[in-house]
Amino acid sequence: MTFTSQQYLHALAPIDKVIDAFIEDEKSSNTDVWSIQSQGRFADLLASSPDASPDLSNTDIKIECDGIEFLPSEKYVQKLMKRYTTRLEMEGKELEDNNLASLVCHFSMSQISKLPDPADSCLLTYQVPCRDLSRQMKHDLLRIRIYPHHNDVGVAKVWEAGACLAEYLMQYPECVRGLSCIEIGAGVGLTGFIAAAVGAKSVHMTDYTDATLENLIYNVSINNEWLGDRGIDTDTVSIGNLEWGEYAEHDCCSHPADVLIAADVVYTVECIPDLVATVSKFLSSGSSTNAKVALFATTYRNRSTFALFERELEKKRIMCAYKSQDKMPYVFPCYFNQPRSDVRICTMTLSE
């Protein structure tokens, strides 16, 4: 699956990927990719990233996002602009389009710090297909705020496994349809939003750091209309603090669920005991008439870490059934560091 340059831009893709996609877009139109007309279209592409940005850092301020498709950081746009003009020069071409020249001038004069700012937020947008074609969608863009330079992994990005699990739920909505879901390690909320959109009875998204929980609250607030357009009662989408060790020991979660979902939560050896204990506690709370299921998506990064995770699951009599991804759609252009083939999806149940 290939994405357009605009889709890559709105997902905050690596800048060379955005430019390469733009070049392919231009080639498909039989256009000289470095002509003045093409330069103008590149300026139009960047125009979807408004220079005047509302304050995304204050969760107490209600902002109107309906007219805003994409809010990148100025640093990202500046890098994208510089890389494009560098490649233009390497092709022996001159900067001819007035709009593009104005943008270059603006970002050349902007006083943008060279140091990454952890408080620098971006608003990503995704076009998510709706299964109910009879619905009139006034708010068709799912918006996700991230902090790309933050040291908290829960707010830094949309992780590959989160995007993959969201795509899996879109292809196989019966996994959650009509069921109550709890998500651990929810991060920026993408997977939870899609679980709600494909028919989950309720979705309780959990994480444990203050930064992640505050960002989750914000992302839910700016997507209320998006949920409403899909017939989802916003009261069925909730957020809570859940630390895996405490849940395993005290069953402190006040939101009973039928399905536990999680993505990209297997990342260090140290987290595995509490993670496996939490999954075991959840599955053990089921009964013969109401068996619980966990649905995991894990990016395969370290062989030994993943092997340890599987061994610990086996000790707890938890069976894993790995799922094929052959028929899954590509919806979210998020596989920049690792391809989707590196993500493994499985259902977990207790053995008899």
Side-chain angles (χ1 to χ4, degrees):
M1 171 67 182
T2 58
F3 294 97
T4 66
S5 53
Q6 185 179 67
Q7 287 172 312
Y8 277 130
L9 174 66
H10 288 199
L12 212 69
I15 54 179
D16 280 327
K17 190 172 285 289
V18 176
I19 295 172
D20 289 343
F22 176 77
I23 290 172
E24 290 302 313
D25 292 345
E26 293 297 288
K27 286 181 178 178
S28 65
S29 303
N30 296 318
T31 304
D32 178 357
V33 298
W34 304 110
S35 66
I36 184 173
Q37 293 83 5
S38 181
Q39 292 176 30
R41 281 187 285 273
F42 190 77
D44 291 340
L45 174 67
L46 293 182
S48 66
S49 54
D51 183 40
S53 305
D55 181 7
L56 297 183
S57 63
N58 190 341
T59 56
D60 296 326
I61 296 177
K62 282 287 185 180
I63 64 168
E64 179 58 54
C65 289
D66 288 344
I68 301 170
E69 291 188 2
F70 171 61
L71 279 171
S73 68
E74 282 200 335
K75 184 183 292 293
Y76 177 82
V77 179
Q78 185 184 52
K79 286 184 177 180
L80 182 58
M81 181 71 67
K82 289 178 67 175
R83 185 66 57 87
Y84 178 83
T85 54
T86 297
R87 291 177 66 164
L88 189 68
E89 292 172 0
M90 291 173 63
E91 294 292 326
K93 303 293 184 179
E94 294 183 357
L95 180 57
E96 298 179 285
D97 180 73
N98 289 334
N99 290 334
L100 185 58
S102 296
L103 286 172
V104 170
C105 181
H106 167 75
F107 283 104
S108 297
M109 297 176 65
S110 296
Q111 298 298 315
I112 302 174
S113 172
K114 294 182 179 180
L115 296 175
D117 183 358
D120 192 7
S121 64
C122 307
L123 192 68
L124 312 183
T125 60
Y126 300 102
Q127 191 89 36
V128 181
C130 181
R131 286 180 173 269
D132 187 353
L133 299 179
S134 65
R135 285 192 171 274
Q136 296 295 318
M137 296 295 167
K138 295 181 180 179
H139 308 87
D140 59 347
L141 293 172
L142 177 63
R143 298 175 172 89
I144 301 291
R145 184 177 68 173
I146 67 169
Y147 289 83
H149 307 300
H150 206 286
N151 60 4
D152 187 330
V153 297
V155 301
K157 61 179 285 188
V158 173
W159 292 89
E160 291 89 349
C164 189
L165 185 54
E167 290 165 346
Y168 184 83
L169 292 175
M170 293 177 70
Q171 185 65 25
Y172 302 103
E174 62 273 13
C175 293
V176 296
R177 184 186 293 133
L179 301 174
S180 298
C181 299
I182 182 169
E183 181 180 12
I184 61 174
V188 295
L190 175 69
T191 309
F193 284 123
I194 298 303
V198 300
K201 180 181 178 181
S202 64
V203 179
H204 186 55
M205 295 186 280
T206 72
D207 221 300
Y208 72 97
T209 69
D210 290 342
T212 302
L213 292 170
E214 289 172 5
N215 195 52
L216 267 175
I217 292 170
Y218 181 86
N219 282 339
V220 170
S221 71
I222 62 171
N223 284 295
N224 278 338
E225 290 84 3
W226 184 87
L227 292 167
D229 272 1
R230 285 157 175 76
I232 302 163
D233 183 351
T234 55
D235 289 338
T236 64
V237 178
S238 57
I239 296 161
N241 180 295
L242 191 152
E243 293 196 43
W244 301 340
E246 290 187 5
Y247 175 80
E249 291 180 11
H250 306 296
D251 197 14
C252 62
C253 181
S254 59
H255 287 258
D258 306 300
V259 181
L260 183 150
I261 60 176
D264 253 329
V265 293
V266 183
Y267 47 86
T268 65
V269 169
E270 291 76 17
C271 78
I272 289 176
D274 284 344
L275 175 60
V276 172
T278 297
V279 176
S280 177
K281 182 80 172 185
F282 174 80
L283 296 177
S284 299
S285 67
S287 64
S288 58
T289 57
N290 183 29
K292 301 293 182 77
V293 177
L295 181 61
F296 267 54
T298 303
T299 304
Y300 192 73
R301 296 188 178 92
N302 183 289
R303 183 189 300 271
S304 60
T305 302
F306 196 80
L308 175 63
F309 178 58
E310 291 186 313
R311 288 197 301 271
E312 292 299 313
L313 289 172
E314 188 176 354
K315 289 178 183 178
K316 295 288 188 179
R317 299 186 301 108
I318 298 173
M319 298 186 301
C320 294
Y322 288 95
K323 303 299 180 181
S324 170
Q325 301 177 33
D326 292 344
K327 297 181 180 180
M328 285 168 50
Y330 275 95
V331 178
F332 305 103
C334 299
Y335 305 100
F336 307 136
N337 296 324
Q338 291 186 251
R340 192 166 79 178
S341 57
D342 284 352
V343 180
R344 301 183 179 186
I345 295 177
C346 71
T347 55
M348 300 178 186
T349 56
L350 279 181
S351 62
E352 298 294 334

